[in-house]
């Protein structure tokens, strides 16, 4: 975030004066098919699925010398010829806005509304089992960036996220709100070396089951670009969470009549630990490679925040100007922040996050023209589980995706 903010300010300061108002738009279209042998990520009674993703949208831009806005309405109709209760009508509007208030001060804002299916993020949301449901997400993210001097940039931001589901999937999907305040400073030490420090405070809140998590963290690091084709970014930090949750228990009610009833009380616990990230990229003449590692804390759809260690290796190779092939490998270790609390005291959904995931994927793409291309990807995933309370077999999944993609050239309307 810090480096993007620096670049954003630099571009804004260097940009030549525009006409009174420049308008542009371009059409986007995708026709796709997907097949999988285990759409719900189940170890038993696996369900195959064959479906179609057809969608598109518009990318609209407006720009003057002081501000620019991007608006991206989109839609997707997901239909399955094989597979029950998987269809979805997805749509949304994403927007980005930036205002150059002075030569040193830039205000920004991202405002989004998206309705999608959990199948859109099945790799990251599946947990023990993929609960398929429609989801509504509202996001507001204002920010401010101040260029203190030619080497130092200050950035502040606020994030509001509201997520709700069309069904709770038998109590497995939990609506939540998430808010975060963040601040960072980036300092260019040399032309190819930048240091950064960031901090944040966040609140993750659910209504059913009732719970609240306040998290505080800080992280510092360095970005070093040895050459344009070789660079590394490293950071390390610390995070602390204060968690409140409802514990249900049986108690005796003397009545009349005497009976056992379910009562609840508010319990709290604190957790803490390290944050870290490392990224490395190396480009060759026709090949681009990248390694990314992240240890982070983030909200989840299972009623608690999640801890992640995520490793991703990617490589892309140009066979010709039109043909490209690529590889993606990854390993993701995920668990609930409440994993070390006795299972009878925490929300039943929290153990849904505990899983390790290995991913291997290969893809190929062919560009018919600059605007029209076709892309196919094969993906293998293995989920394993470390829940001591239940013995679960590892889950395997094979998937194939084929998409015909049209990204139109921008169409300009100038001089307004």
């Amino acid at each position: 975030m810090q480096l993007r903010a620096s670049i954003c300010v630099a571009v804004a300061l260097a940009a030549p004066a525009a006409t009174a108002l420049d308008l542009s738009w371009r059409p986007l279209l995708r026709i796709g098919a997907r097949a999988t042998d285990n759409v719900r990520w189940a170890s038993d009674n696996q369900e195959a699925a064959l479906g179609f993703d057809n969608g598109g949208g518009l990318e609209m831009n407006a720009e003057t010398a002081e501000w620019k806005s991007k608006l991206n309405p989109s839609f997707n109709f997901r239909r399955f010829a094989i597979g029950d209760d998987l269809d979805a009508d997805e749509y949304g509007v994403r927007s980005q806005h930036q205002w150059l208030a002075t030569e040193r001060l830039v205000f920004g804002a991202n405002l989004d509304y998206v309705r999608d299916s959990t199948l859109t993020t099945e790799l990251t949301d599946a947990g023990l089992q993929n609960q398929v449901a429609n989801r509504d997400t509202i996001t507001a993210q204002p920010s401010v960036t101040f260029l203190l001097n030619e080497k130092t940039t200050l950035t502040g931001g606020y994030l509001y996220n509201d997520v709700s589901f069309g069904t709770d999937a038998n109590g497995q999907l939990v609506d939540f709100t998430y808010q975060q305040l963040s601040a960072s400073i980036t300092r260019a030490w040399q032309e190819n070396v930048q240091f950064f420090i960031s901090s944040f405070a966040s609140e993750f809140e659910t209504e059913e089951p009732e719970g609240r998590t306040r998290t505080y963290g800080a992280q510092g690091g360095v970005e070093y670009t040895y050459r344009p084709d070789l660079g590394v970014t490293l950071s390390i930090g610390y995070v602390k969470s204060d968690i409140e949750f409802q514990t249900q228990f049986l108690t005796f009610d003397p009545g009349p009549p005497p009976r056992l009833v379910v009562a609840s009380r508010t319990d709290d616990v604190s957790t803490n630990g390290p944050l870290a990230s490392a990224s490395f990229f190396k480009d060759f003449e026709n090949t681009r490679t990248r390694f990314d590692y992240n240890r982070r804390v983030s909200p989840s759809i299972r009623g608690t925040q999640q801890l992640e260690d995520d490793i991703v290796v990617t490589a892309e190779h140009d066979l010709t100007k039109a043909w490209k092939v690529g590889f993606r490998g990854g390993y993701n270790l995920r668990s609930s922040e409440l994993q070390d609390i006795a299972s009878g005291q925490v929300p039943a959904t929290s153990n849904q996050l505990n899983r390790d995931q290995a991913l291997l994927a290969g893809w190929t793409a062919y560009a018919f023209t600059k605007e029209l291309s076709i892309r196919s990807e094969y993906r293998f995933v293995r989920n394993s589980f470390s829940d001591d309370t239940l013995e679960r077999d590892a889950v395997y999944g094979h998937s194939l995706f084929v998409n015909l993609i049209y990204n139109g050239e921008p169409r300009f309307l100038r001089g307004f």
Side-chain angles (χ1 to χ4, degrees):
M1 179 192 300
Q2 301 84 5
L3 302 181
R4 288 199 299 269
S6 302
I7 294 171
C8 195
V9 171
V11 171
L13 295 177
T19 57
L21 177 62
D22 283 352
L23 300 174
S24 66
W25 64 278
R26 66 173 184 145
L28 309 171
L29 183 66
R30 185 188 69 260
I31 300 173
R34 52 184 287 162
T36 180
D37 63 347
N38 192 2
V39 69
R40 300 190 190 277
W41 300 87
S43 56
D44 299 318
N45 301 318
Q46 297 182 7
E47 178 184 351
L50 173 64
F52 303 90
D53 286 333
N54 301 318
L58 289 175
E59 186 179 283
M60 299 181 288
N61 293 274
E63 183 173 355
T64 71
E66 292 80 26
W67 64 268
K68 55 185 175 182
S69 292
K70 177 184 291 186
L71 191 68
N72 181 208
S74 62
F75 66 92
N76 186 67
F77 300 109
R78 179 171 285 150
R79 296 293 182 268
F80 281 82
I82 300 173
D84 296 328
D85 300 322
L86 302 173
D87 295 349
D89 295 328
E90 302 178 322
Y91 49 86
V93 178
R94 301 179 185 271
S95 68
Q96 299 176 8
H97 311 276
Q98 186 182 92
W99 175 42
L100 182 63
T102 70
E103 290 185 349
R104 295 182 178 274
L105 184 62
V106 177
F107 293 97
N110 295 346
L111 303 171
D112 305 333
Y113 166 73
V114 175
R115 161 161 281 204
D116 65 358
S117 164
T118 53
L119 279 177
T120 303
T121 50
E122 57 189 340
L123 283 177
T124 56
D125 289 345
L128 295 185
Q129 186 171 338
N130 191 13
Q131 305 291 341
V132 181
N134 291 326
R135 169 177 49 196
D136 292 284
T137 303
I138 298 172
T139 302
Q141 191 173 16
S143 64
V144 58
T145 301
F146 181 69
L147 190 65
L148 189 63
N149 53 52
E150 61 183 16
K151 291 187 175 183
T152 307
T153 302
L154 306 176
T155 303
Y158 169 73
L159 169 65
Y160 174 81
N161 207 217
D162 186 294
V163 177
S164 58
F165 297 92
T167 174
D168 68 355
N170 295 320
Q172 299 303 309
L173 299 177
V174 180
D175 300 347
F176 70 85
T177 58
Y178 181 76
Q179 301 180 75
Q180 183 186 87
L181 287 171
S182 61
S184 64
I185 180 171
T186 301
R187 173 75 175 177
W189 183 50
Q190 295 179 356
E191 183 177 346
N192 61 341
V193 180
Q194 293 191 83
F195 292 95
F196 56 89
I197 299 174
S198 63
S199 62
F200 70 90
S202 66
E203 181 179 81
F204 171 78
E205 191 167 11
T206 62
E207 292 186 5
E208 186 59 43
E210 185 178 348
R212 176 183 297 167
T213 301
R214 291 188 172 95
T215 302
Y216 312 92
Q219 200 162 357
V222 58
E223 180 185 274
Y224 173 51
T225 305
Y226 180 69
R227 297 193 305 258
D229 62 346
L230 177 63
V232 62
T233 301
L234 302 171
S235 71
I236 190 168
Y238 183 82
V239 65
K240 179 180 184 297
S241 292
D242 297 325
I243 308 169
E244 298 177 1
F245 58 94
Q246 291 291 316
T247 299
Q248 294 185 337
F249 58 94
L250 288 175
T251 186
F252 178 73
D253 183 357
R259 63 193 185 276
L260 290 175
V261 296
V262 177
S264 64
R265 66 173 182 268
T266 299
D267 286 335
D268 59 82
V269 67
S270 293
T271 66
N272 56 74
L275 298 174
S277 66
S279 296
F280 171 85
F281 73 88
K282 177 67 178 80
D283 297 340
F284 303 91
E285 182 178 359
N286 297 312
T287 305
R288 295 158 295 282
T289 63
R290 186 177 181 92
F291 168 88
D292 291 290
Y293 166 76
N294 278 287
R295 179 172 177 81
R296 55 182 173 242
V297 177
S298 59
S300 84
I301 64 177
R302 304 293 184 178
T304 70
Q305 289 197 137
Q306 59 193 0
L307 304 172
E308 285 186 86
D309 286 283
D310 188 57
I311 301 170
V312 179
V313 178
T314 58
E316 182 182 68
H317 178 69
D318 301 330
L319 294 174
T320 66
K321 289 185 177 181
W323 277 107
K324 298 179 186 295
V325 295
F327 163 83
R328 179 163 54 111
Y331 198 75
N332 181 274
L333 289 77
R334 177 173 309 203
S335 61
S336 166
E337 277 194 309
L338 293 172
Q339 64 175 329
D340 295 328
I341 309 302
S343 60
Q345 297 179 335
V346 300
T349 54
S350 63
N351 67 355
Q352 291 288 318
L353 294 169
N354 300 338
R355 66 110 176 94
D356 299 346
Q357 183 179 89
L359 164 73
L360 292 174
W363 60 267
T364 181
Y366 180 77
F368 299 100
T369 67
K370 187 177 180 180
E371 299 178 339
L372 185 64
S373 63
I374 188 170
R375 175 187 169 104
S376 62
E377 178 177 336
Y378 164 76
R379 189 172 72 197
F380 167 78
V381 177
R382 179 185 185 272
N383 282 350
S384 57
F385 310 104
S386 56
D387 189 345
D388 295 333
T389 61
L390 292 173
E391 292 187 4
R392 295 181 174 88
D393 296 331
V395 174
Y396 299 86
H398 304 264
S399 302
L400 180 64
F401 303 84
V402 180
N403 288 284
L404 182 66
I405 303 167
Y406 175 76
N407 291 329
E409 287 289 320
R411 321 291 173 87
F412 292 94
L413 300 171
R414 296 186 180 276
F416 284 85

